[in-house]
Amino acid sequence: MRELELYVHIPFCMKKCAYCDFLSAPADEKEQFAYMEGLLREIAFYGKRFTDTVISTVYIGGGTPSWLQEDYIASLMQEIYRAFAVADNAEITIECNPGTLTKRKLEVYKENGINRLSIGLQSAHDDELKLLGRVHTYGQFLRSYELARECGFSNINIDLINCLPEQTVERAYQSLIKVIQLRPEHISAYSLIIEPGTPFYHKYKFDVVKLEAGMPPEELPSEDTVYQIGKMTQDVLTQNGYMRYEVSNYAKNGFACRHNIGYWQRKEYLGVGLGAASLLEEVRYSNVRELELYIEASHDCTRLREEAGALSRNAQIEEYMFLGLRMTDGIEKNAFFHTFGFTVGQIYGEVIQYLQEEELICDTPTRLFLTDKGIDLSNFALAQFLM
C-alpha cells in the first residue's frame, strides 16, 4: 500500500511567544470547538480519498496541542483511526508545552495511540523563559516531564532554543546539561531566528541589520558566540550518547524522529488543519489560513485548499538536495539517479567541486554529505544547490 505521513495542525496557544511566527493564537472555547469539528470533517473527507494508503507517522503540532482539553485529542485520534489505515508501528507525536499537561491528559494520549511527546522547554533558566515570552517555568517543565515518565512515555523529545539575546556559552551549556541529566530519547537544539513581524524583530531589528552588515551586535550573540554555542552543543550531546542526524536534531540510537525524516527525504505527506501544507504526487498544497474561513470551508472540504502548485523538475531537484543534505547521512547517489535519471555529478559537478575545495562537503562513491564545517555553514552550503 501507499505510505503517507499525516500532519495535524492545532493553531491554538495560551499566549503568543515573542519569537514565534507560526500560525497560532489564543482562542476561546467556542472557537476551539468549532475548529475541532471542522478538523474532524476534513480528516473524514480525506479518509474516503486515501483508501489505498497506510499512515506511517502522525504529528500533531501547533500552536500548543496540549493546551486543548483531552477529550478533543481523544476525538481527533479516534477519527484518524476511523478514517485511515494506521500502521501498527506508526510513530504518533504530539507537541506539548510545560504547564499544560496533566496526568489525565497524558493517560488519554496513551490510551489513544500517541507514543511520542515533544516538549517545548526552550531554556532551563526562568529569566530566559520570561524573555522568550514563555508561559511556564523550569519547575513546571520538570513536573510535566516527570508526569510523562510516570504515565509510561518512553519516547520524549525536548526542544531547546540557543543563541538568545545576551546568552553566553556557559548559560547555554547549563541548560543543555540539565536536559541531558533527564535522559530524554531525543533533543532538538535550534538557534534562535529573529523572524520579521514578531515582537523580537521589532525589539532587535537593529542588531539583525548589524549582523547582516558584518558589524558587532549589541544584544544578540556575535557570530563567534553563535559558533561556540553550536560547537559546544554538538560536542556535549555527542559525548553523552546523542547522535546528530540532522543540523539541529540529536537522538539516542533508534529514536530519530521518523516523521521529520520523512520531510527531509521528501516522502509524501498530508497536512490537515488551518494553514497546513501537503506534498502529494509532486504537488504542494496549503490550506486556508483564516480561522473563520477554515471552519466555514470544512463543510465542503474541496474549498479548503488555498494554494496548489506542481513542482517543476528543477524545484524537485533543489528540494531533494536542500532537504537531504540537512541530514548528516546526506544524499544517497543511487537514490538520486533512480529518482531523476541523472547522476548528482551531472547536475551539480561544479558546485560539489567548489564545496569540496572549501571543505564543506564530502563526496564518496555512494553518498554526498556535509562535513562538520559544512553543517556549521549550512545556510551558505545549501544555498549553492539552488538553480
Side-chain angles (χ1 to χ4, degrees):
M1 292 179 75
R2 175 186 181 187
E3 272 198 12
L4 193 66
E5 297 194 328
L6 179 65
Y7 173 77
V8 183
H9 190 61
I10 307 295
F12 307 127
C13 53
M14 292 176 66
K15 173 178 165 288
K16 193 85 167 173
C17 296
Y19 59 90
C20 178
D21 73 332
F22 294 155
L23 183 56
S24 60
D28 60 29
E29 176 61 30
K30 183 179 178 181
E31 290 172 316
Q32 292 178 35
F33 177 82
Y35 177 77
M36 294 304 293
E37 289 291 299
L39 187 58
L40 298 184
R41 287 192 289 269
E42 185 182 6
I43 291 168
F45 171 81
Y46 283 115
K48 295 174 183 176
R49 282 152 181 77
F50 289 100
T51 55
D52 62 341
T53 298
V54 61
I55 300 296
S56 58
T57 67
V58 179
Y59 195 101
I60 306 169
T64 306
S66 61
W67 185 44
L68 294 182
Q69 291 300 314
E70 59 270 19
D71 291 349
Y72 284 133
I73 301 301
S75 297
L76 171 65
M77 288 304 305
Q78 289 160 17
E79 186 59 44
I80 289 171
Y81 277 103
R82 186 159 43 242
F84 298 103
V86 180
D88 291 339
N89 67 339
E91 175 194 86
I92 304 178
T93 304
I94 186 168
E95 289 184 346
C96 311
N97 271 1
T100 65
L101 288 172
T102 64
K103 185 177 182 182
R104 182 58 189 151
K105 284 183 180 180
L106 288 162
E107 288 172 344
V108 168
Y109 298 167
K110 193 86 172 166
E111 290 164 4
N112 285 276
I114 294 173
N115 51 31
R116 184 176 184 271
L117 303 179
S118 183
I119 305 177
L121 168 59
Q122 317 313 354
S123 171
H125 301 288
D126 285 346
D127 59 332
E128 290 183 346
L129 292 173
K130 186 176 180 180
L131 173 70
L132 289 167
R134 304 293 287 176
V135 296
H136 64 87
T137 64
Y138 181 64
Q140 287 175 310
F141 159 77
L142 283 177
R143 181 57 186 148
S144 295
Y145 186 83
E146 290 166 0
L147 274 175
R149 289 303 198 198
E150 288 171 12
C151 290
F153 282 93
S154 57
N155 189 356
I156 299 178
N157 168 62
I158 296 177
D159 276 351
L160 286 172
I161 297 181
N162 289 327
C163 307
L164 307 181
E166 300 185 1
Q167 188 181 55
T168 63
V169 178
E170 177 61 25
R171 293 270 284 176
Y173 172 79
Q174 291 167 2
S175 281
L176 189 59
I177 287 298
K178 286 184 177 181
V179 168
I180 288 171
Q181 288 171 345
L182 296 172
R183 299 197 292 184
E185 287 68 35
H186 190 288
I187 297 174
S188 298
Y190 303 102
S191 290
L192 177 68
I193 298 174
I194 308 292
E195 299 284 4
T198 64
F200 258 28
Y201 187 82
H202 179 75
K203 186 174 182 179
Y204 299 112
K205 60 185 175 184
F206 293 112
D207 265 5
V208 172
V209 172
K210 285 181 178 180
L211 284 168
E212 290 174 349
M215 298 168 61
E218 294 181 14
E219 296 178 273
L220 295 180
S222 67
E223 288 185 0
D224 284 346
T225 301
V226 170
Y227 174 78
Q228 290 168 13
I229 290 174
K231 292 306 291 181
M232 176 277 296
T233 299
Q234 179 185 2
D235 293 343
V236 171
L237 285 170
T238 301
Q239 291 163 10
N240 284 275
Y242 291 89
M243 175 190 70
R244 187 183 205 174
Y245 69 97
E246 192 268 347
V247 171
S248 302
N249 286 276
Y250 300 78
K252 291 183 178 179
N253 187 36
F255 288 96
C257 180
R258 288 164 48 196
H259 185 86
N260 286 342
I261 288 174
Y263 287 149
W264 298 318
Q265 292 180 341
R266 299 190 75 253
K267 292 183 179 179
E268 287 192 307
Y269 62 91
L270 171 67
V272 294
L274 189 70
S278 304
L279 175 63
L280 300 166
E281 297 179 343
E282 297 301 344
V283 179
R284 285 204 178 277
Y285 304 91
S286 60
N287 278 355
V288 296
R289 296 175 61 86
E290 295 180 22
L291 183 61
E292 289 184 9
L293 186 57
Y294 174 86
I295 293 169
E296 179 186 343
S298 68
H299 292 280
D300 175 9
C301 291
T302 60
R303 297 164 48 212
L304 278 174
R305 287 179 175 167
E306 187 173 56
E307 297 177 5
L311 294 172
S312 68
R313 193 69 163 172
N314 280 359
Q316 293 174 38
I317 292 170
E318 285 177 349
E319 280 194 2
Y320 193 100
M321 301 302 292
F322 195 88
L323 295 173
L325 286 171
R326 289 187 60 88
M327 296 184 295
T328 54
D329 283 348
I331 300 298
E332 186 181 351
K333 290 183 175 181
N334 279 344
F336 183 94
F337 177 78
H338 288 304
T339 301
F340 298 110
F342 298 93
T343 67
V344 67
Q346 285 176 301
I347 299 176
Y348 286 115
E350 291 183 6
V351 170
I352 293 169
Q353 183 178 346
Y354 167 68
L355 292 176
Q356 278 185 296
E357 291 170 355
E358 298 296 319
E359 300 179 340
L360 300 178
I361 207 164
C362 186
D363 186 9
T364 75
T366 58
R367 307 194 76 85
L368 190 70
F369 55 91
L370 295 182
T371 62
D372 283 347
K373 180 181 176 182
I375 291 176
D376 293 336
L377 300 172
S378 60
N379 287 344
F380 172 80
L382 296 176
Q384 307 311 305
F385 292 94
L386 299 176
M387 294 181 182

